[in-house]
Structure formats: C-alpha cells, structure tokens
Amino acid sequence: MKRSVGQILGRAGIRIPLILWTIAVLYPIFWMFLGSFKSNAEIYRNPWGFPESFSLDNFVTAWTNYNIDTSVFNSLIVTVIGTALTLVLAIPTAYAIERIQFRGSQALFLLYISAMMIPMVLGWIPLFFLLAELNLLDNIYGLAIVYAVSQLPFTIFVLTSFISTIPKSLEESAAMDGMSPYMVLWKIITPLSMSGIITVTIMNAIQFWNEYFMALIFLNTSDNYTLALAIDFISSEAQYTNAWGTLFASLVIAIIPVIVLYAIFQRRIAKGLTEGAIKG
Amino acid sequence: MVQSKKQKYLFLAFCLIPTFILFAVFTLYPLFSGLYYSFFDWSGSSQNKEFIGFANYIKLVKDAIIPNTIMHDYFLVVTKVIGIMILALFFAVALTQLKIKEAPFYRIVFFFPNIMSVVVIGILWTFIYNPSLGLVNSGLEFLGLESLAKPWLGDETWALPSLVLPSIWAGIGLFMLMLIGGISNISKSYYEAAEIDGANEWQQFWKVTLPLIWPQIKISILYIVITTLNGSFIIVQVMTGGGPNNATHVMGSYLYQQAFVQYNFGYGATIGVMILILSLLTVLVLQFFMRRDKIEY
C-alpha cells in the first residue's frame, strides 16, 4: 500500500516538470505574439504582460517601412523553387540507386549520405566565389539552387527508403506492357512514393524558409534579403531605434507559416525529422 | 525489366548525371577547393592570391583566439549533450511509462521549437536575456535576487553559458521523440518480469529501459555533437556575433569573421579545414567509446 501512495504522489509530481517546460516553450512564443500588438512605449512599460489594445500598427510598419513585403516574397520564391528543384533532382537519383543495378550504386549512395555529416562551412568560401563567377551571388535564384543541393543528401536518403517499400512487381508488369523506364518513374514510382515526397517537401520547405547563414553570406543587397535576413537586420537596428514592436511583428510573420504547416502536418514532420536523424 | 543495355544506361544517365553534376559543382568542388584555398594568402581578388604553403596553418596554431573558439565549441557540445539528454530522457520516460492522458499535447508542444528558425529563437532569447526588460532579470528581481541580475549576453563570463539554454530549449523535442520511439519498442514483458522480481520503478529504469534504448541514446548524442560542431555558430552569430570581446566566438563564427568580414579568405579556409578535421575526429572517437554492444534479453 505504501508504494501505491508513493506512486500516486509521483504521478502528480511528474506533471510539475512537464507543465513547467510547457510554459517555458509556449510563453516566449505567446509573448512574441503579444509584443507584436504593443507600441514601443508599451513594451518598455509592460514588457511581459497583455497588450492594452490589439493594434496592427507594427505589422503595417514592418510591411511598408522595413521591406518585409519584399523579403516575404523573396523567401517564398527561394522556398518554392528550392523545394521543387530538390525533388526534380532527388527523385530520379533515389529511384536509380534503389532499383537499378549498376556498379558503384552503393558507393554513390554513401557519397551522398556522408555529405550530411560534413561541416559545409569550409565549402561556403569557395562557393561564394563560384556563385560570383556564375553571376548568382546576391541572387535569390542562385540561393535557391544552393539550398536545393544542400538538402539533396537528406532528400535522397528519405526517398530511397520510401521507394524500397514499393513492390517490384508493379514496375515489372508495367515494363512487360511496354512502358518505358521514364514512364515507370513518372507514372508509377512518383505517385506511389507521394507520401515520402510530401514529407521531404514539407521539411525542406521549413528548412529553406528558416535558413539564415547561407543567406547571410550569399545575399548582400536589402532588396534580395530573405525574411530571416530582414529580421536580423531589423533586430540589429532595434538596438538603436528601439523598434521592438516592428521586430516582433516581423518575427510573427516569419513564424506563422511554420505554425500552420506544423498544425497540419505535425505527425509527418516529427516522424520525418526523427527518422532522418536515426538513420543518418 | 526487359530492355537493351544501351537503353538501361541512357536511363541511368538521365537519372543520375544531372543531379550528380549539381552536387559535384555546389558541394564537392567547394569542399575540395576549400582545402586548396587554405594554402593561399587571399583577400578575395584574383590578383592578390599568393601561395604561402603552410603559413596559414602556422598562423592558426599561433592565433591566441583559436584555442578559445575550440574550447567554446566543446563547452557547448558537452553542456548541450548533458542538458538535452537528461531532460529528453526524463520527459520520454515520463510520457511513456506513466500513463498520462495529455501526453500527446506535451509531445506536440515540446517538439515545436525544433522547427523554429534559429533567427527567431536567437532574437527571442536575446530579449529574454535583455538586461533591463528581459524575463531572466525581471524574474530574479521578483524573487528578490537582484544581486544576481546581470547583462547576460554582454558579460564575458556569462555570455557563453547563456547560449546553452536556448540550444537546449530548441533541441529537446527531437531527442525526446527519438527516445520515446526506443522506449515504445521495449516489450512490456520485461517490465512485468522485473516487477515479479521485485524491482521498483527506479531499478526498472536503470536495468531495463536504459540498456534497451542505448542505441537511441548513442545516436542522439552523436547527432547533438555533429550538429553542434557543424552549426553552433549560427545561434552565436544571431545572439552575440562572437562578442563581447570574442568571449563567445566558436570556430564557425570566427571563420565567418575572418573570411567574410575581414576578407582573409585563405585563413578562413584554414579554419574550415580545422573544423572539418575536429568534427570528423570527434565523431570517430565518440563512436569508439560508445560502441557498447546492443543488449538483448
């Protein structure tokens, strides 16, 4: 009996750290949303409480005076082109590595996979000059290509494991019917691995939308800034202008798409990230 | 598949070559030419590129800031591994072993920071540490501990430890889910057997849960180490930029400063080579020490 009393107490006690961590995670995020409705004066007066009124002034200022409209657009372009290009490049390679027998397929797979573990910082210096030579420096399309290639290893890795679950008999009977391998890839493999394609696309999209450091190195002019760079710029300016409200509004703009994707695809994202980490 | 050899190779080429060319141009070539650049004194323009042999490496060894950046990186590695693993393990066990109805809610909430942008995390936490408005100092004042309040990120001693908390905050969810995956694969019969033998919950944790999820723990630790050594500079760049007085510079942020702020591209590449070597060595050493065999009962 003594033990079960202890257990009951333990059950209640175990919730305390869980609730505390929930607050630790959610409070800063809520607070960021609340801050985006406050005026700068109010942020100083009452930094951690509820706003007196829900004004959208900060959003308007960020959108019009701080070029957030341009950078949202740039981030969208980089994200969409980046994810699309990743898929176009990764699906055929994943299929060939998984299903077609050729010498060196295992070596090629290992080469792609090992790139996931290599620190890319070293490569960023030569990449900077390479992009300059190709006229792709300070260019969001150049950045989209760099992003796409940077996510290739992860994407190929996830897609090969998805493609391996498709029964071989489907391809074989299609080939019997005279379907070309190109059509098999397009009409059979791609639709059947759609679940994997959606998973990697969401994860790549979040990755590209959030990315900061490569954008910092490869983009210079504010007209080409992605959202992460624009926010970083507002943040360093806010040290002097104290435009905290604008800063919060732009943080909210950056995080809303991620929250929406997470709300819809929570299971997929969690599963994709954990599996990517476990097998990688 | 019935098709001629030629057709097969054409299809293979179609599948593999365009992807490989882009991968080679934008990943392999930069890595190797990074190694090559580390033997040059180079400020960015092609005229001023001078082969200087190992001079950059000699400079690296003599640079008084380098040992500090290495220490800072490994400080972050060690504190993050300890902090994340203890909390993630605790939460994973709590959410699986004790039947808590709202467990999915905690899982969803704890994981969310993992997909937030480092910029958002960094700026949020910079504000939490803000000397006059920040939550940390306000909290200390509220508890009557004003004497402990300080400009956390502006203090040479406290700036680096202050970066650990945001990293743990943002990292826990992923590793908690990985460990939960391991725990839920453990057959219930082990716990029943342990209970019959009179093992209490604490003993069950040490004797059953922990050995059986060792593979997941190992992978988690390796993953934290790799991502920290290869990417800790991002949060450093956002939150402190390496300051105050280089107190938070890690290898990557120092590379960025040398190459892209001061235009010592050759020396920057040398720092990059050092990062590459150290991170590969660390992974090898870790794998050697953690190669404890998987336990099967």
Side-chain angles (χ1 to χ4, degrees):
Chain A
M1 273 326 270
K2 209 176 176 187
R3 195 173 141 215
S4 71
V5 172
Q7 273 180 339
I8 292 165
L9 276 178
R11 294 271 137 91
I14 208 81
R15 284 202 168 81
I16 294 170
L18 289 171
I19 291 167
L20 283 178
W21 194 258
T22 307
I23 295 171
V25 170
L26 291 183
Y27 183 55
I29 299 171
F30 276 133
W31 163 79
M32 176 177 85
F33 275 84
L34 294 180
S36 69
F37 298 113
K38 293 178 190 171
S39 70
N40 291 328
E42 200 188 341
I43 288 172
Y44 269 94
R45 220 171 34 243
N46 169 26
W48 299 94
F50 267 90
E52 285 152 15
S53 67
F54 285 85
S55 132
L56 293 175
D57 289 354
N58 290 325
F59 290 90
V60 176
T61 317
W63 196 259
T64 50
N65 295 355
Y66 283 86
N67 260 342
I68 288 291
D69 51 347
T70 323
S71 33
V72 165
F73 184 68
N74 288 340
S75 278
L76 268 179
I77 290 185
V78 170
T79 306
V80 171
I81 294 183
T83 46
L85 188 59
T86 316
L87 285 183
V88 169
L89 293 172
I91 294 173
T93 292
Y95 174 64
I97 287 177
E98 174 58 36
R99 278 300 159 83
I100 303 175
Q101 300 214 323
F102 63 96
R103 274 175 68 187
S105 75
Q106 210 48 37
L108 187 65
F109 186 63
L110 275 177
L111 178 68
Y112 280 123
I113 298 311
S114 52
M116 284 203 279
M117 281 178 47
I118 301 283
M120 279 311 298
V121 246
L122 173 60
W124 288 345
I125 295 173
L127 199 49
F128 177 83
F129 292 100
L130 180 70
L131 290 173
E133 257 170 65
L134 298 172
N135 268 326
L136 290 172
L137 198 64
D138 198 17
N139 179 320
I140 48 170
Y141 300 98
L143 188 67
I145 298 174
V146 171
Y147 279 177
V149 176
S150 74
Q151 282 300 94
L152 266 184
F154 167 78
T155 312
I156 289 175
F157 177 68
V158 174
L159 287 180
T160 42
S161 78
F162 263 93
I163 291 173
S164 71
T165 61
I166 301 171
K168 274 192 178 133
S169 55
L170 286 170
E171 295 154 66
E172 280 160 5
S173 61
M176 296 281 201
D177 294 342
M179 206 184 230
S180 73
Y182 305 91
M183 280 323 239
V184 171
L185 176 61
W186 177 242
K187 294 262 176 181
I188 295 178
I189 299 299
T190 305
L192 284 176
S193 41
M194 203 39 95
S195 171
I197 291 175
I198 293 172
T199 302
V200 288
T201 303
I202 296 163
M203 318 232 342
N204 289 343
I206 293 176
Q207 173 75 22
F208 299 157
W209 180 262
N210 285 341
E211 208 281 336
Y212 164 70
F213 217 90
M214 286 190 252
L216 175 69
I217 294 176
F218 300 133
L219 301 175
N220 310 319
T221 45
S222 60
D223 278 344
N224 291 326
Y225 277 1
T226 56
L227 200 46
L229 280 187
I231 290 173
D232 190 43
F233 181 74
I234 297 177
S235 165
S236 45
E237 243 194 7
Q239 313 290 339
Y240 313 104
T241 60
N242 290 321
W244 302 110
T246 328
L247 178 61
F248 293 141
S250 55
L251 288 175
V252 168
I253 294 172
I255 208 174
I256 279 180
V258 180
I259 292 180
V260 170
L261 279 180
Y262 190 57
I264 305 172
F265 298 111
Q266 179 265 326
R267 272 169 188 283
R268 246 178 223 284
I269 293 171
K271 208 172 155 235
L273 253 183
T274 19
E275 279 180 1
I278 283 178
K279 292 175 195 152
Chain B
M1 266 186 246
V2 194
Q3 51 180 314
S4 76
K5 264 225 148 100
K6 193 183 162 204
Q7 273 179 323
K8 180 185 157 184
Y9 285 119
L10 263 178
F11 179 65
L12 257 185
F14 163 82
C15 286
L16 297 175
I17 288 178
T19 309
F20 189 76
I21 288 177
L22 277 176
F23 181 70
V25 170
F26 289 99
T27 300
L28 298 179
Y29 161 76
L31 279 174
F32 285 105
S33 63
L35 286 170
Y36 174 73
Y37 284 166
S38 70
F39 297 102
F40 287 86
D41 181 25
W42 187 30
S43 61
S45 66
S46 49
Q47 300 98 319
N48 298 327
K49 196 161 146 191
E50 190 194 344
F51 182 79
I52 51 167
F54 282 93
N56 278 330
Y57 289 88
I58 293 164
K59 185 179 168 191
L60 185 84
V61 176
K62 289 188 178 157
D63 190 335
I65 298 174
I66 289 287
N68 293 333
T69 62
I70 299 175
M71 293 250 298
H72 296 160
D73 254 315
Y74 283 95
F75 174 81
L76 290 179
V77 166
V78 172
T79 48
K80 273 174 72 176
V81 166
I82 295 173
I84 292 181
M85 288 317 289
I86 289 179
L87 283 171
L89 196 57
F90 173 79
F91 290 138
V93 172
L95 292 184
T96 47
Q97 303 301 84
L98 312 157
K99 288 160 196 73
I100 297 176
K101 262 174 283 158
E102 69 278 18
F105 167 77
Y106 293 123
R107 257 192 253 188
I108 293 171
V109 170
F110 292 3
F111 183 78
F112 180 68
N114 280 85
I115 55 167
M116 281 170 69
S117 170
V118 182
V119 178
V120 180
I121 295 168
I123 292 175
L124 216 49
W125 278 86
T126 308
F127 216 93
I128 290 175
Y129 285 125
N130 186 299
S132 47
L133 303 173
L135 194 56
V136 176
N137 282 355
S138 318
L140 287 172
E141 256 169 60
F142 179 75
L143 296 171
L145 300 166
E146 291 95 337
S147 54
L148 293 177
K150 45 176 73 68
W152 297 94
L153 296 174
D155 184 300
E156 283 188 35
T157 321
W158 284 98
L160 189 67
S162 301
L163 296 179
V164 176
L165 207 54
S167 312
I168 294 179
W169 182 82
I172 274 188
L174 175 63
F175 301 101
M176 182 190 78
L177 290 189
M178 283 167 69
L179 297 175
I180 285 180
I183 294 173
S184 46
N185 277 339
I186 301 174
S187 155
K188 286 238 167 26
S189 58
Y190 295 133
Y191 293 105
E192 284 157 13
E195 204 145 324
I196 290 168
D197 290 346
N200 62 29
E201 284 181 341
W202 190 241
Q203 287 166 326
Q204 287 177 24
F205 170 74
W206 283 106
K207 299 282 178 196
V208 181
T209 313
L210 210 52
L212 283 171
I213 59 167
W214 179 248
Q216 280 81 9
I217 293 179
K218 189 175 132 180
I219 294 163
S220 304
I221 294 177
L222 273 176
Y223 197 79
I224 299 171
V225 172
I226 295 172
T227 49
T228 306
L229 287 178
N230 296 357
S232 62
F233 57 89
I234 306 177
I235 192 124
V236 169
Q237 187 66 34
V238 176
M239 289 185 70
T240 64
N245 194 18
N246 297 328
T248 55
H249 255 315
V250 291
M251 296 183 281
S253 61
Y254 192 51
L255 179 153
Y256 173 76
Q257 200 205 331
Q258 284 294 332
F260 294 101
V261 180
Q262 299 181 358
Y263 303 118
N264 296 322
F265 288 102
Y267 188 50
T270 314
I271 301 171
V273 174
M274 175 182 76
I275 299 176
L276 180 74
I277 293 172
L278 280 179
S279 105
L280 292 181
L281 268 182
T282 309
V283 171
L284 279 181
V285 169
L286 261 185
Q287 268 180 331
F288 179 78
F289 279 111
M290 296 200 302
R291 100 210 123 129
R292 172 175 157 185
D293 292 323
K294 194 176 164 184
I295 290 187
E296 305 217 15
Y297 287 130

